[in-house]
Amino acid sequence: MSGQEVTVLLIEDEPEIRRFLRTTLPAHGFRLYEAATGKDGLTEAQARNPDLILLDLGLPDLEGSEVIRQVREWTATPIIVLSARDQEQVKVAALDLGADDYVTKPFGVNELLARMRTALRHIAGPPGEPAEPVFTLGDLKVDLGRRQVFVSAKEIHLTPIEYKLLTTLIRYAGKVMTHRQLLKEVWGPLHVEEGHYLRVYMRQLRNKLEKNPAHPRYLVTELGVGYRLRTE
């Protein structure tokens, strides 16, 4: 994949599958984190706040369905279930709980990569609206499908956190997001009190995207409240 690196959390207790994906996914531009139990997976999900979660249903400590339920309490991060259980009712139950897709084991890498790309496209757009492939504002252009950012037609490299912060603001363009909302969306619920994270990354983002970072055109501070992506 091109553009910004995508972070993936794999919650899977089978060592063979972890080994296979540990080799395969980074070769296609993904940064992979792993957990072998449901409890560790929930901890990693909160700490890493990944772009996408790959989840086995048959975990040694928690049912995958319980992991889906708990993850969905705080984030809309795409979840793709990986499971040997191919009964229709199991698939329907996982999807009803909030999983985005279901891939039956054994699976081919090309099929999995295609499902992952589809899930990431679906999350790229504003809530309740179809995902737009390109967001344009003045001389700022963000290709959400390719995860590429341009200013005045020049591609700008963003770190994974910078990119997630920018696309979060794009999803809520024109609306004020509080410091806590941004921290939860970008870093996860364990970091809602870490306001210095947000200040540091917002400064870095402005330095890369704004002509005059001291007087930003797009990334506006709402004093005492949070930040807003100005669209007017």
Side-chain angles (χ1 to χ4, degrees):
M1 293 185 67
S2 60
Q4 312 304 319
E5 191 173 43
V6 179
T7 56
V8 177
L9 171 60
L10 172 64
I11 308 176
E12 168 65 69
D13 67 325
E14 292 186 42
E16 297 82 3
I17 291 181
R18 292 205 308 275
R19 258 195 314 271
F20 170 62
L21 293 179
R22 190 183 302 145
T23 301
T24 303
L25 294 186
H28 287 83
F30 296 97
R31 176 182 294 182
L32 183 66
Y33 301 105
E34 301 176 32
T37 67
K39 183 178 179 181
D40 287 348
L42 289 168
T43 299
E44 283 289 300
Q46 292 188 332
R48 305 288 188 182
N49 202 16
D51 295 308
L52 186 145
I53 295 173
L54 301 176
L55 172 67
D56 179 28
L57 288 184
L59 297 168
D61 56 339
L62 291 177
E63 276 292 310
S65 57
E66 176 61 17
V67 175
I68 296 172
R69 188 189 68 77
Q70 292 193 37
V71 168
R72 281 291 172 261
E73 290 178 351
W74 62 273
T75 183
T77 294
I79 299 173
I80 298 178
V81 168
L82 307 177
S83 181
R85 305 174 188 176
D86 60 357
Q87 300 95 329
E88 182 178 346
Q89 63 268 30
V90 175
K91 296 180 181 180
V92 171
L95 295 170
D96 282 345
L97 280 169
D100 296 83
D101 204 348
Y102 193 110
V103 178
T104 304
K105 299 175 182 175
F107 52 83
V109 66
N110 289 332
E111 178 191 5
L112 178 60
L113 290 170
R115 301 286 190 95
M116 291 170 67
R117 287 192 294 268
T118 298
L120 289 165
R121 282 198 298 270
H122 287 170
I123 201 65
E129 298 180 13
E132 292 293 335
V134 177
F135 175 86
T136 304
L137 180 63
D139 59 2
L140 172 65
K141 174 184 170 183
V142 182
D143 188 322
L144 296 163
R146 293 185 173 87
R147 299 174 70 89
Q148 293 175 303
V149 179
F150 302 87
V151 174
S152 300
K154 177 183 178 182
E155 185 170 4
I156 305 298
H157 175 74
L158 301 183
T159 68
I161 290 291
E162 290 168 352
Y163 182 76
K164 184 174 282 190
L165 177 57
L166 176 60
T167 54
T168 298
L169 288 164
I170 287 173
R171 288 205 308 274
Y172 297 92
K175 299 179 181 179
V176 179
M177 294 202 71
T178 68
H179 299 113
R180 288 178 65 89
Q181 285 173 328
L182 281 168
L183 287 162
K184 184 177 179 181
E185 289 261 356
V186 179
W187 284 270
L190 297 183
H191 301 285
V192 293
E193 303 299 333
E194 307 291 344
H196 60 283
Y197 286 4
L198 188 54
R199 290 190 295 274
V200 168
Y201 278 92
M202 186 60 74
R203 181 168 62 248
Q204 292 175 186
L205 202 53
R206 283 171 169 162
N207 285 339
K208 292 182 178 182
L209 303 183
E210 300 278 7
K211 288 184 178 179
N212 185 351
H215 299 282
R217 176 184 177 188
Y218 306 125
L219 305 171
V220 181
T221 299
E222 299 289 345
L223 287 175
V225 180
Y227 298 95
R228 174 171 59 94
L229 180 63
R230 179 186 285 157
T231 56
E232 67 275 8

